């Protein structure tokens, strides 16, 4: 009885999508506003609020070998929320009212990134990438609440550290300009929070989390220049 080993070839060809020596620079910017007037939803009644969220994230990378680039990404965000009134109706005898609340938050971060590009067939216009991120950042926020004649303020400072992977797709508009879309999938996050209320009461909290699923709130859309 004899057996023969049959050689099997998948005929997968590797093409250069981002050549060695190329620079990649770009940025993503997002801005959103919200305004609620006497909004009602489930246990929320009489919700009156307005505010905005702004975020900018510049990025630069250098391809130190074909289809592999390394660099950095920076991010800054600002969120403002004004709450004029809301009532929580848990049941007929339990209600909570929150009036005249103001929150301002600044967030910032710096990332080291490593990008691996994968071409789609022989296409030079469309490609995939996987971006590994090592991030350190934090935020500062203040919340001021007024109830009648009393005024309460809470200052919060947060420090964050995380490791994550964000796959994405690249679509070239011309030879040097591309649109990129990415989404967070994997991540390990560590956070430490310190709060000071009315400059008297101090509280601290530490947390860690692991994410192994698609995070729809981490979708990023930006434009990049390949030089």
């Amino acid at each position: 009885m004899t057996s023969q080993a049959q050689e099997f070839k998948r005929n997968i060809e590797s093409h250069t999508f981002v050549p060695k020596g190329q620079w990649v620079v770009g940025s993503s910017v997002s801005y959103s506003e919200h305004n609620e007037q006497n909004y009602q939803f489930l246990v929320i009644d009489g919700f009156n609020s307005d505010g905005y969220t702004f975020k900018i994230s510049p990025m630069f990378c250098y391809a130190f070998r074909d289809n592999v680039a390394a660099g950095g990404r920076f991010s800054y965000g600002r969120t403002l929320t004004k709450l004029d009134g809301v009532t929580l109706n848990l049941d007929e005898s339990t209600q909570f009212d929150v009036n005249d609340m103001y929150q301002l938050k600044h967030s910032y971060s710096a990332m080291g990134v490593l990008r691996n590009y994968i071409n789609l067939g022989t296409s030079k216009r469309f490609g995939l990438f996987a971006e590994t991120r090592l991030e350190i950042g934090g935020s500062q926020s203040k919340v001021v609440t007024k109830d009648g004649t009393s005024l309460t303020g809470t200052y919060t400072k947060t420090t964050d550290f995380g490791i994550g992977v964000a796959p994405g797709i690249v679509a070239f508009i011309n030879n040097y300009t591309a649109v990129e879309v990415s989404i967070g999938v994997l991540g390990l996050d560590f956070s430490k929070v310190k709060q000071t209320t009315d400059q008297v009461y101090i509280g601290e909290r530490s947390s860690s989390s692991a994410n192994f699923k698609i995070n729809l709130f981490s979708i990023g859309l930006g434009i990049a220049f390949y030089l």
Side-chain angles (χ1 to χ4, degrees):
M1 182 177 181
T2 61
S3 62
Q4 293 181 342
Q6 184 178 3
E7 185 178 0
F8 180 76
K9 295 183 178 180
R10 297 185 182 273
N11 295 323
I12 298 178
E13 298 182 9
S14 177
H15 297 275
T16 300
F17 188 74
V18 176
K20 178 182 178 181
Q22 191 165 57
W23 283 92
V24 184
V25 296
S27 179
S28 62
V29 179
S30 63
Y31 179 81
S32 63
E33 292 183 350
H34 66 90
N35 187 288
E36 296 82 21
Q37 297 292 331
N38 200 28
Y39 180 72
Q40 296 182 355
F41 180 73
L42 298 178
V43 298
I44 300 176
D45 189 20
F47 186 42
N48 298 283
S49 175
D50 64 273
Y52 66 85
T53 298
F54 167 78
K55 185 176 182 180
I56 183 171
S57 179
M59 177 268 294
F60 70 93
C61 287
Y62 176 76
F64 61 91
R65 57 181 293 187
D66 289 346
N67 292 337
V68 183
R73 182 187 294 273
F74 306 92
S75 177
Y76 169 76
R78 175 186 171 98
T79 301
L80 175 65
T81 302
K82 296 180 181 179
L83 182 62
D84 295 329
V86 62
T87 301
L88 300 178
N89 295 309
L90 301 181
D91 52 46
E92 295 182 356
S93 59
T94 306
Q95 292 183 344
F96 297 95
D97 294 324
V98 178
N99 298 300
D100 296 329
M101 189 187 77
Y102 170 96
Q103 182 188 42
L104 178 62
K105 181 179 181 180
H106 301 272
S107 59
Y108 43 85
S109 66
M111 305 180 196
V113 300
L114 177 66
R115 279 191 169 195
N116 297 89
Y117 289 88
I118 304 173
N119 56 283
L120 294 176
T122 58
S123 175
K124 294 292 185 179
R125 186 174 296 271
F126 298 97
L128 304 176
F129 68 86
E131 186 174 287
T132 304
R133 301 172 176 176
L134 177 63
E135 177 182 6
I136 184 170
S139 66
Q140 297 178 351
S141 67
K142 62 178 180 180
V143 178
V144 179
T145 305
K146 183 179 180 181
D147 185 10
T149 58
S150 62
L151 186 66
T152 301
T154 300
Y155 175 80
T156 303
K157 184 176 182 179
T158 304
T159 303
D160 301 303
F161 175 79
I163 303 173
V165 177
I169 186 169
V170 181
F172 275 88
I173 302 173
N174 54 41
N175 289 334
Y176 305 101
T177 308
V179 176
E180 300 184 348
V181 180
S182 64
I183 183 170
V185 176
L186 305 177
L188 296 174
D189 298 297
F190 306 91
S191 177
K192 184 176 182 180
V193 181
K194 182 177 180 179
Q195 286 186 333
T196 304
T197 301
D198 296 337
Q199 298 184 355
V200 176
Y201 306 102
I202 299 177
E204 294 185 355
R205 177 175 62 88
S206 299
S207 64
S208 60
S209 63
N211 175 34
F212 297 96
K213 61 182 180 181
I214 296 177
N215 184 3
L216 296 179
F217 295 100
S218 65
I219 295 178
L221 175 63
I223 188 169
F225 301 94
Y226 288 71
L227 309 175

